[in-house]
Amino acid sequence: MTDETMTIREMCETFDVTPRTLRFYESKELLGPIRQGQKRLFTRRDRARLKLILRGKRFGFSLEEIRQLLDLYDMGRSKEQLAKSYELASKHLAEMEAKRDELNQAIAELQRQLEWGARELRNQENGAAA
Amino acid sequence: MTDETMTIREMCETFDVTPRTLRFYESKELLGPIRQGQKRLFTRRDRARLKLILRGKRFGFSLEEIRQLLDLYDMGRSKEQLAKSYELASKHLAEMEAKRDELNQAIAELQRQLEWGARELRNQENGAAA
DNA sequence: CGTTCTGCTTACGTAAACGTCACCCTTGGT
DNA sequence: ACCAAGGGTGACGTTTACGTAAGCAGAACG
């Protein structure tokens, strides 16, 4: 781990992924490690991006969707690019908020289900004891 | 749509899925439509399950994970089965709550990012006007 | 009676996201 | 000088979640 960069192994251990995964993400332009000769050196930027990638995956986003989100996280400077990124980001934000609401609803339903289950369990114990 | 059941077409239009998808879900035992001769008739139970399936997918659950969640939604009666389902459901609930928290964090970060972008855009306009 | 829908089954095809394998460097120890 | 580690590059294999195509059955319509 020279300076601010990490080797592929260090990345794998830190984020619990395989080398293959990191190379794959690079091939998909999700990561852009610098090269020291042949070897990859992952920068702070790569680490931040990987964190976002893994998070995105947990929420069911495809790698392609994630790639767009990422590009938007380092907001291309070219005035028009920035505006476009801003647009995209807004949409994603709305999508995520909708997802959160739906998730909250799902949680509430599951909680009701659990309470019902708890009641059933108590009833069965009483019934068995009688 | 006789009585309480729906044909495959009606299901497709209602939930915006293809027939193939419904047959596939049946083959994976996620749905269990009754048969009228050859034809499938989807019941209220199937509709409820499909709703949960589609929701689960949006949150990045695999069909296999969803299948377990589903079985737990109609809580097998056999005292021990119920207890096991209850366990599983509790775990899933915790998982979902964690996901919601992470999602909220992601939303907050994206919002900060957007505010930064908005400031940049204003700056660029000012710079261009000067 | 022939055709046109719907739907069913079987089976092969496909895209995404890696896993796995074979083979080739280079570099640090002994 | 030797060789095992660690890293790299194809390239093919695998799993998930369906798509697509081929062919058959029963209803419905002119």
Side-chain angles (χ1 to χ4, degrees), chain A residues 9 23 35 40:
Chain A
R9 284 295 158 191
R23 298 194 191 106
R35 296 304 182 100
R40 292 164 173 85

Side-chain angles (χ1 to χ4, degrees), chain B residues 88-112:
Chain B
L88 248 170
S90 299
K91 279 187 192 171
H92 270 282
L93 178 58
E95 203 179 318
M96 290 170 75
E97 286 173 335
K99 225 165 205 177
R100 180 195 50 192
D101 295 344
E102 199 184 346
L103 185 51
N104 275 325
Q105 195 188 329
I107 287 174
E109 283 180 30
L110 189 48
Q111 276 170 342
R112 278 200 295 281

Side-chain angles (χ1 to χ4, degrees), chain A residues 70-128:
Chain A
L70 281 177
D71 290 349
L72 154 186
Y73 261 92
D74 34 46
M75 293 279 188
R77 270 87 186 68
S78 72
K79 52 192 171 187
E80 288 208 340
Q81 254 293 15
L82 185 74
K84 226 175 66 181
S85 289
Y86 188 86
E87 278 305 306
L88 247 171
S90 300
K91 280 188 192 168
H92 269 282
L93 179 58
E95 203 179 318
M96 288 171 76
E97 285 173 334
K99 225 165 206 179
R100 180 196 49 192
D101 294 345
E102 200 185 344
L103 185 51
N104 275 326
Q105 196 189 327
I107 287 174
E109 283 180 29
L110 190 48
Q111 277 171 340
R112 277 198 295 280
Q113 203 64 24
L114 277 173
E115 283 168 30
W116 179 88
R119 268 198 304 281
E120 282 296 301
L121 281 171
R122 279 196 300 278
N123 286 348
Q124 291 212 355
E125 281 181 28
N126 291 350

